Amino acid sequence: PIVKIPASKTAFQRAPIGISFLNPDLEWKTINRHSCASPGYTADELRQIKYDALVHPDDVQQMRDFYASLLHGTIEVAKLETRYRRKDNSLIDVEIRSALISDASGQAAYLIDIVEDITELKKARKLARETAENYRLLIENATEHGIFRLDEIGTIISWNPGAQRIFGYTADEVIGRPVSIFFTPEDIAEQQALKEMDKARREGRAEDDRWHVRKDHSRFWASGMVTPARDESGHCTGFV
């Protein structure tokens, strides 16, 4: 039998995410449009195949264990990332969130699956990881330039080999200390470090040419630049 949808049929069909109802034998019974669009099948075609025919062969056992944990009452709600093989044989990454609905006697009645295509999201995550790794390698191998990060109040939170060579401090010696330790007493009195961070926050960058102080208290003339680090909402979380 077709599972009756408790909410509006129109809203169910127009939902911007895949929603489907499976019976305890894991056969699709009621399927919305988005559930069909991701794998490229029609609703009638999906009802004719078992769920494991849609999953990548390497992921079938994981999928069986996923549904077994729900049907056997081990858990009531579960989430899984897996791969679907589309009708055209291309692969997509999906996230499945499933919940078991029981009848009045406590027996399994049906499963509700919410399926989201996360192919582009996983690509973005991979790119972000690769970008972060490339950035880390760039910073760690930059020995001619001092590159370090500050939190939003000017505390040092990262330190590269170039900064160690230039200033004479190891990472353990400097992380957690204020950036003003590199400034001359005259610049500290004028709060130049705070002024540079304020300018960077307002204008996107702050450049300076000034005397700086090494660990051994010797001074050297250097050109520097401060840029703000921002989160996704644009809030300044620190400086580089």
Side-chain angles (χ1 to χ4, degrees), residues 123-141 149:
K123 288 180 180 178
R125 287 174 179 168
K126 181 182 178 187
L127 178 61
R129 288 194 300 269
E130 291 173 348
T131 301
E133 178 63 11
N134 289 337
Y135 177 78
R136 183 187 66 81
L137 291 173
L138 174 66
I139 298 303
E140 289 184 357
N141 288 286
R149 290 195 61 188

Side-chain angles (χ1 to χ4, degrees), residues 56-210:
H56 187 282
D58 293 344
D59 297 346
V60 169
Q61 188 58 53
Q62 181 187 36
M63 178 68 81
R64 289 173 179 168
D65 294 341
F66 171 75
Y67 282 120
S69 65
L70 286 161
L71 292 169
H72 295 161
T74 307
I75 53 176
E76 295 181 354
V77 179
K79 182 172 70 172
L80 175 71
E81 288 188 10
T82 188
R83 293 168 291 178
Y84 272 1
R85 186 180 296 281
R86 289 171 50 86
K87 186 177 180 180
D88 63 8
N89 285 323
S90 61
L91 293 174
I92 58 173
D93 294 292
V94 297
E95 179 184 85
I96 303 172
R97 284 165 283 171
S98 188
L100 176 66
I101 306 300
S102 301
D103 59 24
S105 66
Q107 298 298 308
Y110 56 89
L111 291 158
I112 300 177
D113 273 6
I114 297 176
V115 181
E116 182 177 6
D117 184 342
I118 60 169
T119 305
E120 295 305 316
L121 176 61
K122 291 199 74 170
K123 288 180 180 178
R125 287 174 179 168
K126 181 182 178 187
L127 178 61
R129 288 194 300 269
E130 291 173 348
T131 301
E133 178 63 11
N134 289 337
Y135 177 78
R136 183 187 66 81
L137 291 173
L138 174 66
I139 298 303
E140 289 184 357
N141 288 286
T143 58
E144 297 302 314
H145 297 86
I147 305 173
F148 51 94
R149 290 195 61 188
L150 311 174
D151 66 13
E152 56 187 325
I153 62 171
T155 303
I156 301 164
I157 58 176
S158 75
W159 192 246
N160 85 323
Q164 178 172 330
R165 184 186 65 81
I166 293 169
F167 289 98
Y169 292 93
T170 66
D172 288 341
E173 290 173 323
V174 79
I175 288 176
R177 300 180 67 179
V179 70
S180 58
I181 63 171
F182 310 134
F183 285 66
T184 65
E186 300 83 6
D187 286 341
I188 292 174
E190 295 180 3
Q191 297 187 321
Q192 290 296 336
L194 291 176
K195 291 177 181 178
E196 286 185 12
M197 289 187 290
D198 287 340
K199 182 178 180 180
R201 189 183 291 109
R202 293 192 316 269
E203 302 180 11
R205 63 191 294 171
E207 298 181 9
D208 71 81
D209 294 285
R210 69 173 73 254

Side-chain angles (χ1 to χ4, degrees), residues 149 152 201 227-240:
R149 290 195 61 188
E152 56 187 325
R201 189 183 291 109
T227 58
R230 300 187 184 278
D231 59 21
E232 293 180 356
S233 65
H235 175 70
C236 179
T237 58
F239 303 90
V240 179

